[in-house]
């Protein structure tokens, strides 16, 4: 399988190159040259396959011959080494719980798959690969955990001091080993600017093997297809589901649409957004307008210019009508998010996090207009990550997970740093 750049100015590469590079030299996103098709018997008999076999079959055509079969089997087995239950909230809405991984959010899947691929691809390298990541919270934790102890890889995480939740901060700062965390006296944008500058700095580039772990990487994007298949294995109705995806950069939804294109039955997709609703607005008006992001309760979706949307359009052959037939968009305010958490908890005893609540509200609205449309939401994070919103809405303390309790007993380790590039550069060169 080859991958071309959506900017069409760089040569096509294989999965290995695309994963190592992240972005094409022409700054385009990589996209597979063809869409593999699963056989009808495989789809009809998903129940007869193990989780690991499904994951292997989903990823194999995209990976091609860049990873030997037995190694890929090991990689996917480690990637999905936790449950993916499809929990029924009520007759018409289920919740695909993607928060049973080590950092309690769905990004664990992509980060674990990508880290293991990178480790395999750089196993012959003489110098370690250094991954630089700027994070506003969730990504850094998933990447730190995904790469923890992975040979040949060093990770340097930058996060804005005082601007992440307590659980997130502990996830970022307690790994140790090959993970180093810089606590930057500035904002998330400052962290991201430092990382970008390092990538363009010849003095650094010539001395270190640098790589990034952001969400446009094909290894992160495509491995997110796996759990859509695992959900279908648990889907009990004849008619395919409507799937509501809480979306920010649109990598998760884009993976779902790719899974559908390869043969997975899906009735309709819902792009569920908070007020950062570039895509729902586009679906409504036909005008695509990026805008500065606004802070909300579902902060992992506070994105004004979603980086993966261009891939979704490529899956639609750049056709707006095709997009409208397959995807509906909804804008959910913080007020409705809180009401939804409260209502679902009171009526069904099920506690949503703010991201899952956005998806639930969107799916409910869709069902009001489309009777008999059963479906599920992707519950992308555990409520324990967002205790304040949960407390405000449901009036209860989010249950503490044993794994989160363990975090509170650990020692935070971070290197405080100013937001000027000179300090960052000096630090990198002294490593
Ligand atoms: C990152 C994230 C999202 C958004 O996912 P995209 O793939 O960027 O659309 C949604 N929910 C949570 C909890 C996240 O961490």
């Amino acid at each position: 399988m080859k991958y071309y750049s959506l900017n069409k100015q760089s040569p096509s590469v294989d999965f290995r190159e695309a994963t190592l590079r992240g972005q094409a030299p022409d700054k385009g996103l990589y996209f597979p040259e063809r869409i593999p098709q699963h056989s009808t018997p495989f789809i009809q008999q998903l129940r007869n396959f193990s989780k690991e076999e499904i994951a292997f079959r989903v990823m194999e055509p995209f990976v091609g011959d860049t990873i030997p079969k037995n190694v890929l089997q090991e990689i996917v087995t480690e990637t999905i080494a936790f449950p993916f239950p499809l929990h029924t909230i009520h007759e018409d809405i289920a919740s695909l719980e993607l928060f049973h991984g080590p950092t309690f959010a769905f990004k664990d899947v992509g980060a674990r798959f990508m880290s293991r691929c990178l480790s395999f691809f750089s196993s012959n390298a003489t110098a370690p690969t250094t991954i630089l990541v700027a994070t506003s919270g969730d990504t850094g934790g998933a990447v730190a955990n995904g790469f923890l102890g992975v040979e040949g890889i060093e990770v340097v995480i930058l996060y804005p001091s005082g601007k992440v939740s307590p659980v997130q901060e502990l996830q970022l700062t307690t790994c140790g080993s090959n993970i180093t965390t810089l606590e930057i006296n500035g904002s998330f944008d400052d962290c991201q600017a430092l990382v970008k500058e390092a990538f363009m700095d010849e003095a650094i580039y010539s001395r270190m093997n640098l790589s990034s772990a952001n969400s446009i990487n094909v290894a992160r994007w495509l491995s997110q297809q796996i759990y859509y298949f695992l959900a279908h294995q648990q889907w009990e109705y004849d008619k395919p589901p409507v799937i509501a995806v809480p979306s920010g950069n649109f990598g998760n939804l884009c993976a779902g649409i790719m899974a559908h294109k390869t043969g997975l039955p899906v009735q309709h997709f819902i792009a569920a957004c908070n007020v950062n609703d570039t895509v729902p607005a586009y679906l409504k008006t036909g005008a695509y307008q990026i805008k500065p992001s606004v802070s909300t309760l579902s902060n992992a979706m506070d994105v004004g210019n979603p980086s993966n949307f261009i891939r979704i359009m490529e899956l639609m052959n750049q056709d707006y009508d095709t997009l409208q037939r397959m995807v509906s968009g909804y804008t959910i305010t913080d007020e409705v998010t809180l009401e939804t958490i409260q209502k679902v908890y009171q009526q069904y005893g099920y506690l949503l996090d703010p991201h899952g609540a956005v998806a639930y509200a969107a799916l409910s609205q869709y069902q009001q207009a489309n009777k008999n449309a059963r479906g599920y939401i992707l519950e992308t994070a555990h409520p324990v990550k967002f205790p304040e919103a949960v407390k405000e809405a449901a009036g209860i303390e989010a249950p503490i997970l044993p794994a989160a309790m363990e975090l509170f007993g650990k020692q935070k380790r971070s290197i405080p740093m100013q937001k000027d590039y000179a300090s960052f550069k000096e630090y990198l060169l002294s490593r």
Side-chain angles (χ1 to χ4, degrees):
M1 173 76 80
K2 291 277 193 207
Y3 293 78
Y4 60 94
S5 163
L6 290 179
N7 282 353
K8 314 264 167 74
Q9 304 296 317
S10 295
S12 292
V13 297
D14 63 8
F15 179 77
R16 176 181 188 277
E17 275 289 308
T19 299
L20 286 168
R21 284 183 186 274
Q23 209 164 6
D26 64 7
K27 308 274 179 247
L29 272 60
Y30 282 117
F31 196 89
E33 262 181 359
R34 63 184 173 80
I35 297 185
Q37 294 298 310
H38 293 293
S39 72
T40 310
F42 172 63
I43 298 292
Q44 282 175 347
Q45 291 158 32
L46 273 183
R47 267 166 216 277
N48 301 336
F49 289 85
S50 70
K51 248 167 85 194
E52 292 76 16
E53 278 170 321
I54 292 174
F56 176 78
R57 286 194 179 217
V58 170
M59 295 315 295
E60 188 190 24
F62 291 98
V63 168
D65 58 6
T66 61
I67 301 179
K69 186 172 177 202
N70 61 325
V71 177
L72 183 59
Q73 273 165 340
E74 241 168 66
I75 290 177
V76 296
T77 301
E78 286 177 23
T79 299
I80 56 160
F82 42 86
F84 294 82
L86 185 66
H87 175 98
T88 302
I89 299 178
H90 59 74
E91 201 192 345
D92 293 333
I93 299 187
S95 164
L96 178 63
E97 296 181 347
L98 300 177
F99 54 69
H100 294 280
T103 73
F104 328 132
F106 81 101
K107 289 192 177 72
D108 280 329
V109 174
R112 288 163 78 82
F113 184 77
M114 178 186 168
S115 64
R116 283 153 181 84
C117 291
L118 271 184
S119 170
F120 175 74
F121 292 145
S122 48
S123 54
N124 296 324
T126 44
T129 298
T130 303
I131 310 259
L132 295 183
V133 214
T135 185
S136 59
D138 267 358
T139 301
V143 169
N145 201 285
F147 285 81
L148 179 61
V150 173
E151 245 169 82
I153 309 271
E154 299 281 334
V155 178
V156 177
I157 297 173
L158 292 80
Y159 78 98
S161 182
K163 299 197 173 66
V164 301
S165 81
V167 168
Q168 286 174 328
E169 182 164 45
L170 288 166
Q171 287 175 338
L172 292 170
T173 57
T174 58
C175 283
S177 174
N178 58 331
I179 315 290
T180 308
T181 309
L182 308 182
E183 183 171 351
I184 305 294
N185 189 6
S187 64
F188 168 64
D189 290 338
D190 294 325
C191 297
Q192 203 160 32
L194 290 174
V195 168
K196 278 197 177 147
E197 197 158 347
F199 274 106
M200 293 185 303
D201 188 333
E202 187 58 37
I204 291 183
Y205 223 91
S206 59
R207 298 229 336 235
M208 309 173 78
N209 288 331
L210 278 193
S211 187
S212 86
N214 64 25
S215 70
I216 55 153
N217 194 292
V218 291
R220 263 186 76 177
W221 167 42
L222 293 167
S223 55
Q224 298 176 142
Q225 291 176 88
I226 296 171
Y227 43 71
Y228 288 90
F229 286 83
L230 300 182
H232 201 73
Q233 208 185 13
Q234 303 168 66
W235 183 248
E236 298 199 336
Y237 303 103
D238 292 335
K239 211 168 159 194
V242 176
I243 306 177
V245 186
S247 295
N249 266 319
F250 280 79
N252 207 2
L253 178 60
C254 189
I257 296 174
M258 176 60 93
H260 178 46
K261 288 251 163 181
T262 65
L264 187 75
V266 177
Q267 194 182 129
H268 196 66
F269 285 100
I270 291 175
C273 292
N274 57 35
V275 292
N276 297 284
D277 64 346
T278 303
V279 173
Y282 178 53
L283 282 160
K284 208 174 287 159
T285 65
Y288 195 80
Q289 261 163 349
I290 60 174
K291 42 189 182 184
S293 64
V294 180
S295 290
T296 74
L297 289 173
S298 45
N299 59 19
M301 316 196 306
D302 295 348
V303 179
N305 185 9
S307 51
N308 274 292
F309 188 65
I310 175 112
R311 280 186 171 134
I312 292 186
M313 287 314 289
E314 191 75 356
L315 282 164
M316 304 295 153
N317 300 316
Q318 304 294 335
D319 183 53
Y320 181 73
D321 294 338
T322 312
L323 176 73
Q324 272 198 323
R325 273 195 302 276
M326 199 180 289
V327 184
S328 297
Y330 288 87
T331 306
I332 306 297
T333 61
D334 273 358
E335 200 185 344
V336 173
T337 305
L338 287 175
E339 275 168 24
T340 304
I341 295 176
Q342 184 182 40
K343 194 188 84 187
V344 173
Y345 185 68
Q346 282 175 353
Q347 288 187 353
Y348 308 107
Y350 190 74
L351 193 57
L352 292 164
D353 97 293
H355 303 78
V358 167
Y360 186 99
L363 181 52
S364 304
Q365 288 181 17
Y366 178 83
Q367 286 171 334
Q368 275 160 23
N370 299 271
K371 301 283 177 215
N372 311 319
R374 285 195 172 118
Y376 65 82
I377 62 162
L378 268 56
E379 178 47 304
T380 46
H382 192 284
V384 73
K385 286 193 113 168
F386 306 93
E388 278 111 35
V390 167
K391 180 136 194 228
E392 188 182 338
I396 59 161
E397 304 284 344
I400 289 292
L401 297 168
M405 277 308 276
E406 219 173 273
L407 275 176
F408 284 104
K410 288 188 181 171
Q411 171 86 38
K412 166 183 162 180
R413 284 203 182 80
S414 66
I415 301 175
M417 195 171 283
Q418 294 305 314
K419 63 182 181 187
D420 63 289
Y421 182 64
S423 319
F424 181 50
K425 178 171 180 169
E426 189 187 319
Y427 167 76
L428 282 181
L429 291 176
S430 68
R431 278 171 61 84

